[in-house]
Amino acid sequence: MDVNTQADALLRKIQHYMISQSGRRAREATAQEFYAALSTILREEAIINWTAALDTFHQKKVRTVNFLSMEYLPGRLLANHVANMGGEELIKATLAKVNLSYAEVVGFEPDQGLGNGGLGRLAACFLDSLATLHYPARAYGLRYQYGIFEQEIWDGVQVERPDCWLLNQNPWECRRDLYAANVHFSGELVKAQNKHGDQVYLLNQPEEVRALPFDTPIVGYAKTADFTVLTLRLWSTKESPRNFQLQRYNAGFLGQAAENTNLTDVLYPNDNTELGKRVRLKQEFLLASASLQDILRRHLHVYGDLSEFADKVRIQINDAHPALLIAEMMRTLTKNYDFSWGKAWEACQTCCSYTNHTILREALEEWNEKRLEDLLPRQYKILQLINQQFCDQVRDRYPDDEAKVRRMSILEKGQAKMAHLAIVGSHKVNGVAKLHTEILTHEIFPDFAEFYPDKFLSITNGVTQRRWLVAANPLLTKFISKRIGEGWISDFMQIQKLAAFASDLEAQEEFLAIKKKNKEALIDFLKRENPLRDALGKIVPQAVLLDPTALFDLHIKRFHEYKRQLLNALHLIMVYQELKVNPSSRQVRRVSIFAGKAAPGYNKAKQILHLITCLARTIHNDPEVSKWLSVVFVENYNVTKAEILIPAADLSEQISTAGWEASGTGNMKLSMNGALTIGTEDGANIEMRESIGDAWWPFGFGASAQENKQAYKSWDIYLQNTKIQQAVNALKEGVFAQTAEETEALEQVYRHLIENDPYRVLQDLPDYYETQKQVETLFLHPAKWAETAIHNIAGMGPFSTDESIRNYAAKIWNISPCPTDPGVLSDVQNEYFTMQKNSVAGK
């Protein structure tokens, strides 16, 4: 069947949907209605393979991975699923028949508000690779009604507004009322024993919360029609009326009445308040308990009992947030399923594994014991038992070292340490880059690494090339495939073949032309979609005058002191001051672009963000300086905006304090798209440099993680370097401030730098400043820049999540791919096509 005939058939399905679901004729429908119709029909097509994949997993009784994460950032699904199903040509032909563009229709899909930064985007990339590689897996998360927040910049200040991504019906999700789970909080504890004599706990008059699942299909890439579709199951408390406590509402306690209904409203509620801490703890346990109930239910459906549970189930705890699953598994197995304590603990350690994504203490998840006992009395008792058992084991091995016991204890000084629980209750613990794993084993958890010498390992993060090259950068995709074929799309190690073309003049010129087109697309986007707002949030006119031949310098990541947006800002202040003295001091026009959100309660990060917006305004209003330097802040950074920003980047800012960034994934996306990295020896930067080669990694700078252990005083750097002193003084002299609030914010930044500077901004600023000069020198030689960039792309083969997932599968989960059985797929297709004759997949 040719594409035109298929397009006619698809259009008839769309017309049928319009009339049957909304009472609208297709000729009357808006582009947004076409988006909803097309997405629903594609989901219907995906359900064929979805059903067949699940049936195959069940019939073959394969070991299955269950991935638990508080965050996912899948971005828009329509274009991604169309590309993975191979239907882009068909969809474009269909929409052309009603005078609609593909880009216009895709543009109506909101980004799913399920994450904040790298953790969520990594999880989404993992799911893409799991599906593409046909691994039996399922993912669990929470369906946040309002995301983390939608960021607006009002006169330079971050304002958090609800992310209303669910304002319209989400055509991709399937509500699964049948599989709802009840989760219990608080209540009166009742002691009992199981038949093995183990202590178990009952609960009288608990607070019951109903978690309702919504399933989203994750479509894997394939060139044939047997693509695998996996499940992302998200739990919501919004659609369950029993969660609303009417008696408290009628008594006037409105906040208490709605607390359980609102558990899945917002990702990472501000935990500077007691209510925020309560809600966040409830969120984490909701994910753990509801997901475990579902895992057990599905296992019993397939096997009938739990005799093979430890062999067939693998649970990946993605960061410490879901670690309470370990305590809940012990409670559930010993109370409900006739497991002795010893047998349950063996099953728990066999099933569970833990990925640590950070060394930041605030992200290692510690909970006040009293709060934990009040909200989760049964699980707290189980934690005490686990901790007693573990501490006894430590004492047996180190009988004269009670200090070590205290350091390793899960419960200590009134705090429950979730990272410790995750380590003790798992059979494997991995860091996400070599340096990160070394820091974990030698500095953060050295006692555990000594106690469990075979438990820790490193698996470097990655990103999916299908999203971050094929979908985000079609021009560069064609450039690559024209030279080395399309095999790299599913086997990214083949990208190394591109190195053979790095010195080819034609390839260099084509690469530079592609980069310029992507910059032009970004400039057009900024004019349309990046408004300037006054102090009341009203959009005011602004002139966006950016030059696509300029150096586009991107610093796009969540705002945190260790990610050192401040280091970048201080360099820009130094450049600004040079240009004020001598407008011809620079030969390269630079556009510095920042994007990212600061956590609502993180005032220092917000002050740095405010500094950058003040700096952008000052430079924009200076007619001489703005000829050579522009600073742009892109508000409400998300996946869709990243897909426009990243292909346009010349320079990638990866300048975290060495030893603080676990891995990074933005560094990988930018390098894959031909940006050169200016970076410290931190996270995965080190492995990227090793893979790309030192000759093509020209902009490394800064102190190493080892050097950062040495004593340091920012005041000494301030006194020794006149240029740095002038830049820092500008913060307190009101050079960039126009209001009293701005003056105070910038003075606060100044004081933090001079008095403390824990992330060593001033220490690395001289080297960073000189390295930025080297950037501009190389940029003046376009052919050499292009050659270097092409080598960077060619060296990125090891940094696909396909490689990461293969490592998890081999080293942690011990699972094998399980492609959909052709007979099962045929049966499902025949059953479906009895009623529906037309396929969208176009394969």
Side-chain angles (χ1 to χ4, degrees), residues 507-524:
Q508 293 169 1
E509 291 175 348
E510 186 178 345
F511 171 82
L512 293 170
I514 289 169
K515 187 64 73 174
K516 184 169 181 287
K517 287 181 180 178
N518 287 334
K519 291 182 191 177
E520 290 168 348
L522 173 57
I523 292 169
D524 183 59

Side-chain angles (χ1 to χ4, degrees), residues 567 678 700-703 721 724 762-774:
L567 176 61
I678 181 168
F701 78 96
N721 191 308
I724 289 177
L762 295 191
Q763 171 190 274
D764 283 349
L765 182 53
D767 194 7
Y768 180 64
Y769 173 81
E770 293 300 326
T771 306
Q772 286 283 15
K773 284 186 176 180
Q774 297 172 27

Side-chain angles (χ1 to χ4, degrees), residues 46-89:
I47 284 177
I48 298 170
N49 290 55
W50 199 357
T51 303
L54 291 173
D55 284 357
T56 299
F57 299 160
H58 290 168
Q59 289 182 20
K60 294 190 176 183
K61 296 187 175 182
V62 291
R63 177 178 291 172
T64 303
V65 173
N66 300 274
F67 190 86
L68 271 68
S69 179
M70 287 290 285
E71 288 191 47
Y72 297 92
L73 271 178
R76 291 171 171 169
L77 294 181
L78 175 57
N80 190 70
H81 287 354
V82 167
N84 282 356
M85 294 167 71
E88 189 169 328
E89 182 184 4

Side-chain angles (χ1 to χ4, degrees), residues 702-722:
S704 68
Q706 190 64 33
E707 290 168 338
N708 281 336
K709 296 176 184 177
Q710 299 171 4
Y712 159 71
K713 291 183 179 179
S714 58
W715 181 252
D716 294 339
I717 306 292
Y718 172 81
L719 292 178
Q720 293 166 8
N721 191 308
T722 302

